[in-house]
Amino acid sequence: MRHIIVIGAGQAGSSCVAKLRNSGCTDRITLVGAETVPPYQRPPLSKAYLMQEMTLERMFLRPETFYTDNDVTLRLGAAVSAIDADAQTVTVGDDVLRYDDLVLTTGSVPNRLPASIGGDLDGVFVVRDLLDVDTMAPRFTPGKRVLIVGGGYIGLEAASVAAKLGLEVTLVEMSDRILQRVAAPQTSDYFRALHSDKGVTILEGVGLQRLTGTGAVSGAVLSDGRELDVDFVIAGVGIAPATALAEAAGVALNNGIAVDAQGRTSDPHIWAAGDCTSFPYQGGRIRLESVPNAIDQAEVVAENIMGAGKDYIAKPWFWSDQYDVKLQIAGLNTGYTDVVSRIGAGQTASFWYYRDGALLAVDAMNDPRAYMIGKRLIEAGKTADPAMVADPETDLKPLLKA
Ligand code: FAD
């Protein structure tokens, strides 16, 4: 009997062990997680859970009994401190465990504000895990002043919850516009207007110079010289793939743990999936930070450990919830040359990204139909006539048959 060890009890780790058992794996399986709770969904951390509209139990990816029922040894609150790739062992606390196949699903680590600018003051938070959110949630009371640093999805979602709960919210984004790294100006404009309507102050082209306070944060100095009084701060300034363990074991990195199309690392006994990896995609290499990627890639790795010899073909999609707007994104917009807007009634809108006539991606706000049709077109390698897309009265469905 082989021993398969999966390091990282998150979205990808949990999907991997479930798929192994579903694929008929009868080997010994151990899932090791640094956090103290069973694998859970992270997206509600900046949405329904932070709003206190969702319980922890509902966030669990699988019932707690799943692991015992499926003969998976779940070791929680236990970080793997080292991998010996030659001996094929991992160190967990005082134990050294031997593996035949090892899967790295270590996720990401959030970037933090440097201590040199006050990032280590009490009251400065990141939003990555349950502990982060449980620690900051009691501060979400009406009238509190929160400064959010970073206008990406995590920062905007936290701003949305804070505004809904009656806090005074200021968000600073050092680049020219919110969502600059991930979306077109049209999408930035849409979300800027949405947040402004809800009373959030969004400052773009303005960075954080430093946080002030004695022990705990009480103020912020911005790059334009402005000074703010704050009760607490949330940094949504990106993440980095969790590669330290792999790197120390001599596994090759390339913007994450480099895996081949089947999810194998440079070591033939070590596989990887989820946020921590970069993988081949359309002649290049990408890293995705999303739930669908973590699930799909981890499942392919599980099948390949069982000998399937299958390539992972990523079909990127993502979502974000802010106030009563659901944003759904299909495809990747990298290298877009044109954006076509389709503006419907109320808050319904979608923005369609093209590169030289080829449809790359769609951002759909409260428009699941535009999202679904865009996704199917992109996955089929088809494009969409921009004139049809731009007219909100046009039924898009016939495009699928074109
Ligand atoms: P994770 O789920 O992060 O799991 C990695 C696990 O590995 C962690 O529990 C970590 O503690 C553990 N670990 C790391 N090192 C070790 C070690 N040495 N030993 C043991 N355990 C270790 N994606 C979407 O698609 N849509 C969204 O709306 C969305 N919203 C999000 C909101 C928030 C607040 C966050 C934080 C993320 C969101 N994401 C969203 C991203 C999504 O949650 C991640 O892409 C996904 O969780 C990645 O899964 P993963 O298994 O690769 O990593």
Side-chain angles (χ1 to χ4, degrees):
M1 194 192 272
R2 290 186 296 180
H3 186 193
I4 302 166
I5 299 182
V6 181
I7 305 178
Q11 185 74 65
S14 172
S15 303
C16 183
V17 300
K19 189 69 179 179
L20 280 166
R21 285 295 183 238
N22 284 343
S23 309
C25 175
T26 53
D27 295 315
R28 199 175 141 209
I29 301 177
T30 303
L31 176 59
V32 189
E35 293 182 74
T36 52
V37 285
Y40 59 91
Q41 312 168 47
R42 267 173 225 288
L45 290 177
S46 51
K47 308 177 181 80
Y49 184 74
L50 187 56
M51 256 324 269
Q52 297 179 13
E53 288 175 348
M54 191 176 191
T55 62
L56 174 59
E57 287 66 31
R58 281 195 49 221
M59 301 220 297
F60 289 154
L61 290 165
R62 296 183 163 79
E64 288 187 79
T65 50
F66 169 87
Y67 303 93
T68 37
D69 290 351
N70 285 279
D71 200 16
V72 172
T73 304
L74 183 60
R75 288 187 65 150
L76 295 175
V80 171
S81 54
I83 300 167
D84 184 332
D86 294 328
Q88 289 179 228
T89 60
V90 300
T91 305
V92 194
D94 293 335
D95 296 337
V96 175
L97 311 177
R98 192 169 189 291
Y99 63 82
D100 297 283
D101 283 287
L102 181 66
V103 187
L104 303 175
T105 53
T106 46
S108 299
V109 282
N111 297 329
R112 290 176 188 272
L113 299 174
S116 57
I117 63 161
D120 58 347
L121 288 167
D122 187 37
V124 182
F125 301 98
V126 293
V127 197
R128 182 68 198 175
D129 62 28
L130 199 58
L131 190 61
D132 296 328
V133 175
D134 285 346
T135 315
M136 80 171 86
R139 304 200 182 217
F140 277 64
T141 55
K144 289 276 186 237
R145 296 155 305 181
V146 58
L147 172 67
I148 297 178
V149 183
Y153 289 120
I154 299 285
L156 290 170
E157 288 180 355
S160 153
V161 172
K164 274 159 91 176
L165 293 176
L167 282 77
E168 213 178 279
V169 189
T170 304
L171 183 148
V172 288
E173 168 54 59
M174 67 191 281
S175 52
D176 290 348
R177 57 182 174 87
I178 55 170
L179 299 175
Q180 184 165 46
R181 192 177 63 87
V182 289
Q186 289 85 338
T187 300
S188 304
D189 293 347
Y190 179 99
F191 282 100
R192 184 187 309 105
L194 179 69
H195 281 271
S196 300
D197 270 4
K198 306 288 181 186
V200 172
T201 303
I202 293 192
L203 305 175
E204 294 163 300
V206 177
L208 171 69
Q209 203 170 73
R210 67 194 148 86
L211 298 173
T212 56
T214 316
V217 68
S218 57
V221 181
L222 306 183
S223 59
D224 61 359
R226 206 181 313 218
E227 296 189 14
L228 305 177
D229 292 329
V230 301
D231 294 304
F232 69 106
V233 174
I234 298 174
V237 290
I239 56 178
T243 55
L245 203 55
E247 186 174 17
V251 171
L253 306 184
N254 180 352
N255 180 29
I257 300 170
V259 295
D260 66 15
Q262 298 192 2
R264 245 188 232 93
T265 69
S266 56
D267 181 303
H269 298 283
I270 306 181
W271 309 74
D275 275 19
C276 64
T277 67
S278 74
F279 57 89
Y281 181 77
Q282 296 185 350
R285 178 167 279 280
I286 55 167
R287 179 169 61 80
L288 293 176
E289 301 164 358
S290 78
V291 164
N293 174 65
I295 296 172
D296 295 347
Q297 193 185 19
E299 291 191 349
V300 169
V301 164
E303 289 178 80
N304 287 337
I305 290 174
M306 296 299 290
K310 189 171 165 182
D311 282 357
Y312 170 51
I313 315 285
K315 296 176 178 168
W317 66 276
F318 189 80
W319 77 93
S320 173
D321 297 319
Q322 294 168 46
Y323 310 100
D324 45 3
V325 172
K326 177 168 274 302
L327 163 68
Q328 292 168 291
I329 302 170
L332 290 181
N333 63 22
T334 319
Y336 72 88
T337 49
D338 302 287
V339 179
V340 174
S341 303
R342 181 179 172 87
I343 309 298
Q347 290 176 312
T348 304
S350 58
F351 302 116
W352 298 61
Y353 298 79
Y354 292 83
R355 181 173 54 217
D356 306 326
L359 180 64
L360 296 181
V362 179
D363 294 346
M365 277 70 79
N366 284 354
D367 195 345
R369 196 172 168 81
Y371 161 75
M372 188 269 293
I373 289 171
K375 186 168 191 290
R376 284 175 60 187
L377 288 169
I378 293 161
E379 286 173 12
K382 294 181 177 176
T383 194
D385 175 5
M388 282 178 77
V389 163
D391 178 1
E393 300 302 321
T394 309
D395 181 11
L396 294 176
K397 208 163 175 203
L399 288 169
L400 293 170
K401 298 210 175 81

